[in-house]
Amino acid sequence: MRFEFATATRIVFGPGVLREVGPLAADLGARPLLVTGKTAARAEPLRALLRAQGLDPVLFAVEGEPTTVVVQQGVDLAQQHGCDFVIGFGGGSPLDAAKAIAALLTNPGALLTYLEVIGEGRPLARPAAPIIAIPTTAGTGAEVTRNAVLASPEHGVKVSLRSSYLLPRLALVDPELTCSVPPAVTAGTGLDAFTQLVEPYVTPAATPLTDGLCREGIGRVARSLRRAYQDGSDLQAREDMAVASLFGGLALANAKLGAVHGFAGVLGGAFPAPHGAVCGRLLPEVMAVNVRALRERAPADPALARYEEIARWLIGAPDVRAEDAVAWCAALCRDLAIPGLAAYGVTPADFPRLAAGASRASSMKGNPIVLTEAELLEILERAL
């Protein structure tokens, strides 16, 4: 057995820990670039805390998902104002943008030099500028991952900037920040977190460390995602989901994902589809096809037993099968009002190119079994 585990230099978790940010930020630099989502006003309490510490943040708002152009704009702004560290505040988009901006502040050349698929894919040569990641949603786990997902409208795809240098210096996870998240966003981000716990648990790249994180996180999602969706002020449910999101980020960064994310990246690059909702809609269908393929072609594969373990954790009963986990996930998606892929403009005519793109995606390499073209097409048909 051999495995590695890498994460943020420091993780601070708990309700109210945002109030501790001032001294922690002052240890990292003198002038931060503060990267937020489109509603920059949400960051006002954070800005006040930084100013009280003598730090004057330069604000950079990211409208929607980060693109290669947006990242370069952030780099230019940071350089103009002499920013020496970066704070990401918001969902996965501003956190990923913050990580990419921090990388380009210390590594020369254009972003395409370092991007996979559409660029040269060169490794970062130098550590990124210090990064503080403060999530305000419970979903992506981007505060502890070593990649930044960026859209390239010119190429019609989403690609990743990957490096251990992207791991934040500090991940500050305050569940209170998620209490104002509306139900639809709670559902999508929560299902993203759930998927990032299920896929690393059944991948062949799972490790004892990631297994423990996945077990704990899946149990918290099972008891709390519906509650957080129904009552956003339920702090215990919000805390559970923040833990689950954090653990999902830790797991995916140190194991692998699978077919859900293989499809989600391609779909997100081609359609205006929210990543978390797409993951939620795909998850039960991918699980169903994976379980059937394992039973037919690899019945001794440990992934099949792992799916059955997941069913026991979700349902809380010993005499369940992997297929029961599929049914539980499908019911969860119905309860959270997750639409089919057709809601985003996907049609059967798109299936062949989506399946082809997914088959080449790096996430697909973590799927517990190699799926045939017919099985990939079936997943899309079931999720439509």
Side-chain angles (χ1 to χ4, degrees), residues 15-112:
V17 296
L18 180 67
R19 292 187 288 273
E20 302 173 21
V21 72
L24 296 171
D27 285 343
L28 298 184
R31 191 79 188 273
L33 179 75
L34 174 55
V35 183
T36 73
K38 62 181 178 180
T39 309
R42 289 196 66 196
E44 280 306 314
L46 170 59
R47 295 177 75 184
L49 291 164
L50 294 170
R51 290 194 187 105
Q53 194 65 35
L55 298 170
D56 184 19
V58 176
L59 189 65
F60 181 64
V62 175
E63 301 277 344
E65 296 187 337
T67 66
T68 51
V69 172
V70 166
V71 167
Q72 188 58 57
Q73 291 171 344
V75 173
D76 293 343
L77 182 65
Q79 290 174 336
Q80 289 167 13
H81 291 273
C83 296
D84 55 358
F85 71 109
V86 182
I87 302 174
F89 180 86
S93 292
L95 266 57
D96 278 353
K99 291 190 287 186
I101 291 167
L104 290 188
L105 284 178
T106 56
N107 287 272
L111 178 57
L112 283 176

Side-chain angles (χ1 to χ4, degrees), residues 12-19 134-136 172-178 242:
V12 179
F13 182 100
V17 296
L18 180 67
R19 292 187 288 273
I134 307 174
T136 61
L172 196 70
V173 186
D174 186 340
E176 289 181 354
L177 295 174
T178 69

Side-chain angles (χ1 to χ4, degrees), residues 25-374:
D27 285 343
L28 298 184
R31 191 79 188 273
L33 179 75
L34 174 55
V35 183
T36 73
K38 62 181 178 180
T39 309
R42 289 196 66 196
E44 280 306 314
L46 170 59
R47 295 177 75 184
L49 291 164
L50 294 170
R51 290 194 187 105
Q53 194 65 35
L55 298 170
D56 184 19
V58 176
L59 189 65
F60 181 64
V62 175
E63 301 277 344
E65 296 187 337
T67 66
T68 51
V69 172
V70 166
V71 167
Q72 188 58 57
Q73 291 171 344
V75 173
D76 293 343
L77 182 65
Q79 290 174 336
Q80 289 167 13
H81 291 273
C83 296
D84 55 358
F85 71 109
V86 182
I87 302 174
F89 180 86
S93 292
L95 266 57
D96 278 353
K99 291 190 287 186
I101 291 167
L104 290 188
L105 284 178
T106 56
N107 287 272
L111 178 57
L112 283 176
T113 304
Y114 306 104
L115 283 178
E116 63 184 26
V117 181
I118 62 172
E120 298 176 39
R122 292 187 191 176
L124 296 176
R126 301 172 184 169
I131 305 161
I132 298 177
I134 307 174
T136 61
T137 63
T140 66
E143 66 271 18
V144 288
T145 61
R146 62 182 105 190
N147 70 302
V149 180
L150 309 175
S152 175
E154 177 186 355
H155 300 87
V157 295
K158 286 183 180 179
V159 293
S160 284
L161 177 65
R162 299 180 191 274
S163 173
S164 59
Y165 288 146
L166 294 183
L167 288 168
R169 193 76 63 86
L170 171 67
L172 196 70
V173 186
D174 186 340
E176 289 181 354
L177 295 174
T178 69
C179 289
S180 60
V181 174
V185 178
T186 297
T189 54
L191 287 167
D192 190 16
F194 184 40
T195 304
Q196 291 172 176
L197 293 161
V198 171
E199 291 199 304
Y201 192 68
V202 298
T203 179
T207 76
L209 267 171
T210 59
D211 284 351
L213 294 165
C214 293
R215 290 188 190 102
E216 179 70 17
I218 288 171
R220 289 176 184 264
V221 171
R223 75 190 185 205
S224 291
L225 179 49
R226 284 184 178 89
R227 286 169 47 198
Y229 175 75
Q230 293 164 357
D231 179 8
S233 65
D234 185 336
L235 185 56
Q236 182 57 59
R238 291 295 194 183
E239 187 172 286
D240 270 349
M241 290 308 302
V243 170
S245 176
L246 173 64
F247 284 10
L250 292 167
L252 78 88
N254 290 282
K256 289 186 181 295
L257 291 167
V260 173
H261 278 83
F263 274 116
V266 177
L267 281 159
F271 296 92
H275 177 77
V278 167
C279 286
R281 186 65 192 91
L282 288 167
L283 180 60
E285 316 309 343
V286 167
M287 289 173 65
V289 172
N290 274 347
V291 168
R292 188 187 66 209
L294 287 164
R295 291 201 189 282
E296 291 175 353
R297 302 199 293 274
D301 193 297
L304 193 55
R306 286 178 169 244
Y307 274 123
E308 291 180 346
E309 283 184 297
I310 291 170
R312 289 195 290 273
W313 302 333
L314 295 175
I315 298 166
D319 54 343
V320 292
R321 290 165 54 85
E323 289 80 1
D324 296 315
V326 175
W328 190 96
C329 292
L332 176 65
C333 288
R334 289 193 296 271
D335 291 347
L336 301 185
I338 300 299
L341 299 182
Y344 310 116
V346 181
T347 70
D350 301 307
F351 289 179
R353 68 184 177 95
L354 293 173
S359 69
R360 297 190 296 268
S362 58
S363 292
M364 194 65 77
K365 297 174 184 177
N367 206 57
I369 189 168
V370 177
L371 298 175
T372 66
E373 181 183 6

